[in-house]
Amino acid sequence: VQLQASGGGLVQPGGSLRLSCAASGSFFSINTMAWYRQAPGKQRELVAHISSGGSTTYTDSAKGRFTISRDNAENTAYLQMNSLKPDDTAVYYCNAYVRAGRFSPLYPYWGQGTLVTVSS
């Protein structure tokens, strides 16, 4: 299983970006998907999480500005980020819990990270 994250870049404060995380390979199903971020000198933190049924949770700083969604047919998760602030600057990582076979346990996978820089 591979997770390919994309969509990062340089954006001005107040701007928007949309991150994508596409899962590929051989597996039975994807359970939860999530976006984490790690700013320089800081620990990795959870930004947003979406269940297989579409229920979502957000860190307080993302509420009202970010929206996580997923396309189960495409095995892809998205993070729409609006009203971006310099404090949002970080490497963003996608995460997914994947079941390899019907009766296999869930296993976490990580994407390679995509850099988001918010600066004027």
Side-chain angles (χ1 to χ4, degrees):
V1 179
Q2 290 187 330
L3 298 182
Q4 181 69 43
S6 61
L10 173 64
V11 63
Q12 292 187 340
S16 298
L17 282 175
R18 187 191 195 206
L19 306 183
S20 298
C21 173
S24 62
S26 179
F27 52 87
F28 178 74
S29 65
I30 300 175
N31 195 285
T32 60
M33 302 186 80
W35 288 95
Y36 288 73
R37 66 186 179 189
Q38 187 166 18
K42 295 186 177 181
Q43 290 187 332
R44 189 174 298 190
E45 65 170 350
L46 175 66
V47 176
H49 168 279
I50 185 166
S51 72
S52 57
S55 297
T56 58
T57 58
Y58 299 90
T59 189
D60 285 346
S61 62
K63 289 178 182 177
R65 298 188 300 126
F66 294 3
T67 302
I68 188 171
S69 61
R70 63 190 288 173
D71 183 332
N72 290 330
E74 296 293 330
N75 297 316
T76 300
Y78 303 96
L79 186 67
Q80 177 67 44
M81 303 186 294
N82 300 325
S83 303
L84 283 161
K85 306 174 182 179
D87 284 349
D88 295 318
T89 295
V91 178
Y92 284 70
Y93 298 90
C94 61
N95 163 269
Y97 277 80
V98 179
R99 204 179 298 277
R102 183 175 182 180
F103 302 106
S104 300
L106 291 170
Y107 190 85
Y109 289 88
W110 291 90
Q112 83 284 9
T114 183
L115 177 62
V116 172
T117 303
V118 185
S119 176
S120 55

